[in-house]
């Protein structure tokens, strides 16, 4: 069974074709600058990379080009005919409060996605445009929505509620939802299996997805019980350009002192804060750490704020779950930065965490790598994430009715 995985961002569209009987990646690609001058598609297959430049006004035009390129051998297309695609899995940002799992996109389900578009004004219109294009270009092929928020729908109300007047939760759905759910689900499932296969406890796992955007999730007996992002991805730990948790009154101070509108403050908190805002150097953790090593104090401070906050989330989730069996690191920073990992777990010895420093420094990336010592009471693992494979697995499960 060949599954097309589609991941649409506000001006981008990434895709993969995966043969699901063997879970083999056949080809992958991406379109950038949709709706902006200079849009182009890159496609990779058989170890080669191809580039197609074409003006693309919107996601529908982008999707049409993608479909053509999949069967065009001169640009690395891997299909003889587009009918080889048996199902399409779409990464969709938001479930709202309507779904708790991935779902087959029927006309009714599509209406619900449209109703919830206001919850993700940057991503949801792009997600919906791709679903509609797919329905036109590949009639009869099932489309499955795999939601970024679905894994977090098992959170108890006391974890997802904000302590604001209850009727505003009821009327406007103001609550915490969490994001990166597909990644947290993939790495927690992978870690759980590894722990069970190796005879370790697996009931209380904290997954740390640390990249440009970062979130931490508490996974108890395979289910999410808390996560650090909230109504939007702004809440939680400091990120590349996001502030993370902040007292909401700061918004009023910024409006007064800097004569900003609320919208401008929200952009400032999402795009100008975090590593970039504190260090003044870069939103990229590598550049920031390089500067910190040269003695740049603000870069050091930004890095320390990050490791401190991730540590606090791990500690609070250990409290939420009544203990801790495993910490999982994933995402660009989680998978690659030994320095950040060491900074995060330092001080968690009281929970039984003992890092194997030599193992932590190694660069290999198997599906699971343990970086805790044999004596450690808590397993510390690196699990490279694979959101596309998780989407393809869910798509197959939903289509096959498993
Ligand atoms: P996104 O959230 O956009 O998917 P990624 O998961 O790709 O982001 O993570 C990007 C972050 O990962 C950047 O801060 C980058 O510096 C960091 N990163 C990527 N590769 C490495 C590496 N080899 N060493 C240290 N940090 C890395």
């Amino acid at each position: 069974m060949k599954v097309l995985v589609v991941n649409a961002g506000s001006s981008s569209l990434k895709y993969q074709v995966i043969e699901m009987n063997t879970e083999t990646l056949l080809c992958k690609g991406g379109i950038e600058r949709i709706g902006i001058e200079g849009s182009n598609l890159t496609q990779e297959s058989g170890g080669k990379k191809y580039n197609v430049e074409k003006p693309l006004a919107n996601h529908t035009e982008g999707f049409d080009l993608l479909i053509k390129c999949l069967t065009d051998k001169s640009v690395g297309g891997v299909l003889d005919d587009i009918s080889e695609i048996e199902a399409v899995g779409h990464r969709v940002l938001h479930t709202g409060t309507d779904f708790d799992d991935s779902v087959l996109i029927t006309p009714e389900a599509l209406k619900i996605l449209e109703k919830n578009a206001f919850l993700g004004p940057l991503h949801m219109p792009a997600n919906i445009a791709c679903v509609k294009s797919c329905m036109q270009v590949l009639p009869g092929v099932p489309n499955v929505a795999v939601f970024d928020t679905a894994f977090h729908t098992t959170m108890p109300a006391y974890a997802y509620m904000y302590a604001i007047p209850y009727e505003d939760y009821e009327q406007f759905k103001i609550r915490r939802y969490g994001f990166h759910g597909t990644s947290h689900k993939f790495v927690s499932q992978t870690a759980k299996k590894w722990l069970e296969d190796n005879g370790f406890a697996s009931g209380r796992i904290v997954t740390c997805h640390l990249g440009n955007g970062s979130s931490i999730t508490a996974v108890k007996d395979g289910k999410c019980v808390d996560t650090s992002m909230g109504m939007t991805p702004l809440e939680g730990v400091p990120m590349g350009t996001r502030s993370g948790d902040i007292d909401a009154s700061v918004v009023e101070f910024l409006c007064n002192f800097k004569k900003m509108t609320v919208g401008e403050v929200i952009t400032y908190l999402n795009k100008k804060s975090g590593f970039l805002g504190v260090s003044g150097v870069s939103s990229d953790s590598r550049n920031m750490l390089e500067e910190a090593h040269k003695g740049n104090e603000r870069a050091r401070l930004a890095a320390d704020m990050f490791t401190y906050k991730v540590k606090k989330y791990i500690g609070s989730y250990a409290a939420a779950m009544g203990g801790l069996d495993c910490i999982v690191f994933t995402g660009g920073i989680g998978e690659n930065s030994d320095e950040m990992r060491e900074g995060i777990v330092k001080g968690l010895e009281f929970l039984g965490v003992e890092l194997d420093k030599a193992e932590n420094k190694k660069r290999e990336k198997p599906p699971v790598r343990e970086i805790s010592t044999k004596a450690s009471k808590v397993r510390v693992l690196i699990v490279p994430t694979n959101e596309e494979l998780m989407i393809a697995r869910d798509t197959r499960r939903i289509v096959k009715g498993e």
Side-chain angles (χ1 to χ4, degrees):
M1 179 184 198
K2 290 190 180 90
V3 172
L4 171 64
V5 176
V6 177
N7 178 358
S10 51
S11 67
S12 67
L13 205 173
K14 288 187 254 169
Y15 64 94
Q16 292 193 356
V17 178
I18 303 177
E19 168 50 70
M20 285 311 291
N21 298 335
T22 51
E23 296 197 340
T24 308
L25 174 65
L26 300 180
C27 106
K28 67 175 180 178
I31 305 177
E32 281 178 341
R33 303 181 66 83
I34 295 174
I36 308 169
E37 207 180 320
S39 42
N40 75 310
L41 177 148
T42 48
Q43 181 159 268
E44 279 179 69
S45 65
K48 286 200 184 131
K49 211 171 180 173
Y50 304 82
N51 193 39
V52 181
E53 276 175 32
K54 189 169 189 280
L56 299 165
N58 51 44
H59 281 80
T60 310
E61 290 185 16
F63 192 79
D64 285 348
L65 176 65
L66 174 174
I67 291 292
K68 285 196 185 81
C69 289
L70 284 179
T71 51
D72 184 345
K73 300 277 156 66
S74 71
V75 293
V78 288
L79 305 179
D80 292 323
D81 193 283
I82 205 64
S83 63
E84 289 171 45
I85 299 287
E86 285 182 63
V88 184
H90 297 264
R91 179 180 184 181
V92 176
L93 184 76
H94 230 294
T95 50
T97 47
D98 294 288
F99 303 109
D100 57 8
D101 191 7
S102 304
V103 67
L104 186 70
I105 311 180
T106 58
E108 293 72 35
L110 185 57
K111 282 201 190 102
I112 297 174
L113 300 192
E114 286 175 326
K115 180 189 69 144
N116 288 331
F118 76 101
L119 289 165
L122 283 182
H123 290 84
M124 289 296 279
N127 300 153
I128 291 165
C130 284
V131 171
K132 286 184 172 167
S133 301
C134 236
M135 287 174 160
Q136 272 181 5
V137 182
L138 305 170
V141 176
N143 289 282
V144 173
V146 180
F147 300 97
D148 250 26
T149 54
F151 185 59
H152 303 306
T153 55
T154 47
M155 276 193 283
Y158 55 75
Y160 71 64
M161 287 297 293
Y162 290 119
I164 59 171
Y166 193 79
E167 49 279 14
D168 291 334
Y169 156 67
E170 290 180 307
Q171 191 177 350
F172 305 115
K173 299 188 173 165
I174 297 173
R175 50 159 280 185
R176 307 179 62 254
Y177 292 95
F179 296 88
H180 291 142
T182 310
S183 176
H184 289 292
K185 183 174 174 181
F186 180 81
V187 299
S188 62
Q189 284 185 351
T190 308
K192 192 167 190 296
K193 180 166 187 319
W194 184 93
L195 292 163
E196 284 164 3
D197 288 351
N198 289 280
F200 296 113
S202 65
R204 299 163 302 182
I205 302 176
V206 173
T207 51
C208 305
H209 178 109
L210 311 176
N212 281 322
S214 296
S215 62
I216 322 296
T217 293
V219 185
K220 193 167 187 199
D221 299 324
K223 291 199 162 67
C224 168
V225 292
D226 206 345
T227 191
S228 61
M229 283 179 167
M231 170 104 185
T232 77
L234 183 55
E235 192 177 335
V237 300
M239 310 177 209
T241 59
R242 293 190 190 114
S243 63
D245 298 332
I246 195 160
D247 181 340
S249 302
V250 170
V251 177
E252 187 194 13
F253 280 88
L254 283 165
C255 289
N256 289 341
F257 292 143
K258 296 191 78 171
K259 306 288 173 234
M260 294 164 97
T261 63
V262 171
E264 284 166 348
V265 175
I266 297 303
T267 303
Y268 161 106
L269 294 173
N270 271 296
K271 305 259 183 211
K272 298 195 174 144
S273 302
F275 298 164
L276 176 67
V278 176
S279 73
V281 174
S282 172
S283 63
D284 189 295
S285 66
R286 265 173 299 189
N287 301 343
M288 182 180 75
L289 287 173
E290 270 168 31
E291 277 298 308
H293 297 159
K294 288 184 205 153
N296 182 324
E297 285 179 16
R298 274 174 50 188
R300 181 77 270 152
L301 174 64
D304 289 348
M305 286 168 70
F306 177 70
T307 53
Y308 174 67
K309 196 64 183 273
V310 176
K311 190 198 315 285
K312 283 211 319 190
Y313 267 102
I314 295 172
S316 66
Y317 288 167
M321 295 190 289
L324 185 62
D325 298 313
C326 177
I327 300 169
V328 178
F329 286 108
T330 194
I333 297 173
E335 292 169 31
N336 297 302
S337 178
D338 55 279
E339 181 175 347
M340 291 292 203
R341 288 192 301 259
E342 186 174 337
I344 289 164
V345 299
K346 194 171 166 204
L348 292 180
E349 293 78 10
F350 78 100
L351 283 175
V353 179
E354 203 179 286
L355 189 71
D356 182 330
K357 290 192 179 171
E359 196 61 40
N360 182 43
K361 283 200 174 3
K362 287 186 188 162
R363 295 262 164 248
E364 297 101 82
K365 271 210 208 173
V368 177
R369 189 153 66 80
E370 184 182 356
I371 55 170
S372 41
T373 64
K374 294 281 164 263
S376 181
K377 292 198 183 75
V378 174
R379 302 333 320 149
V380 184
L381 307 178
I382 300 171
V383 181
T385 193
N386 192 338
E387 290 165 272
E388 287 77 12
L389 180 57
M390 191 72 243
I391 292 170
R393 282 181 185 166
D394 260 25
T395 301
R396 178 186 149 121
R397 174 173 62 83
I398 297 289
V399 169
K400 299 244 180 212
E402 287 166 355

